[in-house]
Amino acid sequence: MEEKFVIFAENLLWQDLNKVYRKKMMNEELKKKLSKDPNGLLTYEYIANNIDAIEGVLDELIDNMIIVDKTGQFVVSTARYLHAIDASKYAVAIDRLVKAAIDKDREHNYLGDLIAGLWGADYMENADELSKSDDNFRRIYKRLYSTGI
Protein backbone atom coordinates (compact mmCIF):
# COMPACT_ATOMS: atom_id res chain seq x y z
CA MET A 1 0.00 0.00 0.00
CA GLU A 2 2.78 2.41 0.94
CA GLU A 3 4.62 1.66 -2.32
CA LYS A 4 1.50 2.54 -4.36
CA PHE A 5 1.25 5.84 -2.50
CA VAL A 6 4.90 6.67 -3.30
CA ILE A 7 4.34 5.88 -6.98
CA PHE A 8 1.16 7.99 -6.95
CA ALA A 9 3.02 10.90 -5.31
CA GLU A 10 5.87 10.64 -7.82
CA ASN A 11 3.38 10.68 -10.69
CA LEU A 12 1.76 13.82 -9.28
CA LEU A 13 5.15 15.46 -8.94
CA TRP A 14 6.05 14.65 -12.54
CA GLN A 15 2.68 15.96 -13.74
CA ASP A 16 3.24 19.22 -11.85
CA LEU A 17 6.78 19.57 -13.21
CA ASN A 18 5.52 18.85 -16.70
CA LYS A 19 2.89 21.59 -16.38
CA VAL A 20 5.51 24.06 -15.18
CA TYR A 21 7.82 23.12 -18.05
CA ARG A 22 5.03 23.49 -20.61
CA LYS A 23 4.08 26.87 -19.16
CA LYS A 24 7.68 28.02 -19.36
CA MET A 25 7.90 26.86 -22.97
CA MET A 26 4.65 28.63 -23.78
CA ASN A 27 6.04 31.77 -22.20
CA GLU A 28 9.15 31.57 -24.39
CA GLU A 29 6.96 31.14 -27.47
CA LEU A 30 4.76 33.98 -26.29
CA LYS A 31 7.79 36.22 -25.74
CA LYS A 32 8.96 35.55 -29.30
CA LYS A 33 5.53 36.32 -30.72
CA LEU A 34 4.97 39.46 -28.68
CA SER A 35 8.47 40.77 -29.29
CA LYS A 36 7.29 41.27 -32.88
CA ASP A 37 4.30 43.33 -31.69
CA PRO A 38 4.59 46.54 -33.74
CA ASN A 39 2.60 48.85 -31.46
CA GLY A 40 1.26 47.09 -28.36
CA LEU A 41 -2.03 45.84 -29.78
CA LEU A 42 -0.99 42.17 -29.74
CA THR A 43 0.15 42.45 -26.13
CA TYR A 44 -3.05 44.25 -25.14
CA GLU A 45 -5.15 41.58 -26.84
CA TYR A 46 -3.20 38.82 -25.13
CA ILE A 47 -3.77 40.41 -21.73
CA ALA A 48 -7.48 40.96 -22.39
CA ASN A 49 -8.06 37.48 -23.80
CA ASN A 50 -6.07 35.69 -21.09
CA ILE A 51 -6.79 37.79 -18.00
CA ASP A 52 -7.32 34.70 -15.84
CA ALA A 53 -3.99 33.15 -16.84
CA ILE A 54 -1.53 36.08 -16.89
CA GLU A 55 -0.64 36.31 -13.21
CA GLY A 56 2.79 34.72 -13.59
CA VAL A 57 3.73 36.67 -16.69
CA LEU A 58 2.04 40.04 -16.20
CA ASP A 59 5.29 41.86 -15.37
CA GLU A 60 6.88 40.60 -18.57
CA LEU A 61 3.79 41.53 -20.58
CA ILE A 62 3.90 45.04 -19.11
CA ASP A 63 7.63 45.26 -19.92
CA ASN A 64 6.88 44.30 -23.51
CA MET A 65 3.99 46.75 -23.75
CA ILE A 66 6.17 49.60 -22.52
CA ILE A 67 8.89 48.74 -25.04
CA VAL A 68 6.73 48.36 -28.15
CA ASP A 69 4.04 51.03 -27.64
CA LYS A 70 5.70 54.23 -28.81
CA THR A 71 2.64 56.52 -28.51
CA GLY A 72 1.08 55.30 -25.27
CA GLN A 73 -2.20 54.27 -26.87
CA PHE A 74 -2.17 50.65 -25.74
CA VAL A 75 -0.35 51.41 -22.51
CA VAL A 76 -3.33 53.61 -21.59
CA SER A 77 -5.86 51.04 -22.81
CA THR A 78 -4.20 48.31 -20.77
CA ALA A 79 -4.10 50.47 -17.63
CA ARG A 80 -7.79 51.29 -18.03
CA TYR A 81 -8.66 47.65 -18.69
CA LEU A 82 -6.77 46.32 -15.66
CA HIS A 83 -8.28 49.07 -13.52
CA ALA A 84 -11.77 48.08 -14.63
CA ILE A 85 -11.12 44.38 -13.95
CA ASP A 86 -9.56 44.75 -10.48
CA ALA A 87 -7.81 47.98 -9.54
CA SER A 88 -6.35 46.69 -6.28
CA LYS A 89 -5.14 43.35 -7.65
CA TYR A 90 -3.38 45.01 -10.58
CA ALA A 91 -2.32 48.20 -8.78
CA VAL A 92 1.42 47.70 -9.36
CA ALA A 93 0.94 46.98 -13.07
CA ILE A 94 -1.44 49.93 -13.44
CA ASP A 95 1.07 52.23 -11.74
CA ARG A 96 3.82 51.15 -14.14
CA LEU A 97 1.53 51.62 -17.13
CA VAL A 98 0.39 55.06 -15.98
CA LYS A 99 3.97 56.22 -15.51
CA ALA A 100 4.84 54.93 -18.98
CA ALA A 101 1.78 56.64 -20.47
CA ILE A 102 2.81 59.97 -18.97
CA ASP A 103 6.21 59.65 -20.63
CA LYS A 104 4.96 58.30 -23.97
CA ASP A 105 1.87 60.40 -24.69
CA ARG A 106 3.68 63.61 -25.45
CA GLU A 107 0.82 64.96 -27.56
CA HIS A 108 -1.76 64.20 -24.85
CA ASN A 109 -3.91 62.09 -27.15
CA TYR A 110 -4.70 59.47 -24.51
CA LEU A 111 -4.02 61.06 -21.12
CA GLY A 112 -7.51 62.58 -20.97
CA ASP A 113 -9.08 59.15 -21.32
CA LEU A 114 -6.67 57.75 -18.76
CA ILE A 115 -7.35 60.36 -16.09
CA ALA A 116 -11.13 60.01 -16.49
CA GLY A 117 -10.92 56.22 -16.64
CA LEU A 118 -8.89 55.87 -13.45
CA TRP A 119 -10.12 58.75 -11.32
CA GLY A 120 -13.67 59.14 -12.67
CA ALA A 121 -15.33 61.54 -15.06
CA ASP A 122 -15.70 64.05 -12.20
CA TYR A 123 -11.98 64.17 -11.43
CA MET A 124 -11.95 67.95 -11.96
CA GLU A 125 -14.11 68.41 -8.87
CA ASN A 126 -11.48 66.67 -6.74
CA ALA A 127 -8.37 67.79 -8.61
CA ASP A 128 -6.76 69.59 -5.66
CA GLU A 129 -7.18 66.64 -3.29
CA LEU A 130 -6.12 64.08 -5.89
CA SER A 131 -3.05 66.12 -6.82
CA LYS A 132 -1.94 66.15 -3.20
CA SER A 133 -2.52 62.45 -2.64
CA ASP A 134 -1.60 60.83 -5.97
CA ASP A 135 1.59 61.65 -7.84
CA ASN A 136 0.41 60.04 -11.08
CA PHE A 137 -2.78 62.09 -11.04
CA ARG A 138 -0.79 65.25 -10.35
CA ARG A 139 1.60 64.56 -13.23
CA ILE A 140 -1.19 63.84 -15.71
CA TYR A 141 -3.25 66.81 -14.57
CA LYS A 142 -0.25 69.09 -14.86
CA ARG A 143 0.36 67.88 -18.43
CA LEU A 144 -3.26 68.33 -19.46
CA TYR A 145 -3.81 71.63 -17.65
CA SER A 146 -0.39 73.23 -17.49
CA THR A 147 -1.77 76.52 -16.13
CA GLY A 148 -3.54 74.73 -13.24
CA ILE A 149 -2.10 73.58 -9.94
Side-chain angles (χ1 to χ4, degrees), residues 10-132:
E10 286 176 348
N11 284 338
L12 283 178
L13 177 64
W14 281 112
Q15 288 173 4
D16 288 344
L17 289 173
N18 193 22
K19 285 179 189 175
V20 168
Y21 177 75
R22 278 189 275 139
K23 276 187 176 181
K24 185 171 180 156
M25 292 305 292
M26 285 185 5
N27 289 341
E28 292 303 316
E29 289 175 29
L30 177 63
K31 283 182 194 178
K32 287 179 189 176
K33 178 182 176 185
L34 294 180
S35 70
K36 296 176 183 157
D37 185 353
N39 58 10
L41 176 59
L42 292 175
T43 307
Y44 172 80
E45 287 177 340
Y46 183 84
I47 291 169
N49 293 331
N50 298 282
I51 192 67
D52 294 328
I54 62 168
E55 199 159 323
V57 295
L58 184 58
D59 286 339
E60 293 172 271
L61 292 167
I62 300 301
D63 290 343
N64 190 69
M65 173 73 68
I66 291 169
I67 290 168
V68 300
D69 183 358
K70 304 298 182 213
T71 65
Q73 178 180 5
F74 296 106
V75 167
V76 166
S77 295
T78 304
R80 293 179 65 206
Y81 175 74
L82 292 174
H83 184 268
I85 296 297
D86 190 336
S88 59
K89 179 178 180 180
Y90 299 115
V92 173
I94 293 167
D95 183 66
R96 288 184 59 209
L97 290 163
V98 169
K99 286 177 176 153
I102 293 167
D103 292 337
K104 290 178 177 289
D105 188 11
R106 301 252 180 238
E107 296 177 14
H108 309 155
N109 292 325
Y110 313 107
L111 290 178
D113 290 334
L114 181 62
I115 200 169
L118 271 55
W119 289 279
D122 62 345
Y123 68 88
M124 291 289 284
E125 296 171 17
N126 304 312
D128 289 334
E129 289 175 32
L130 289 168
S131 291
K132 292 174 185 171

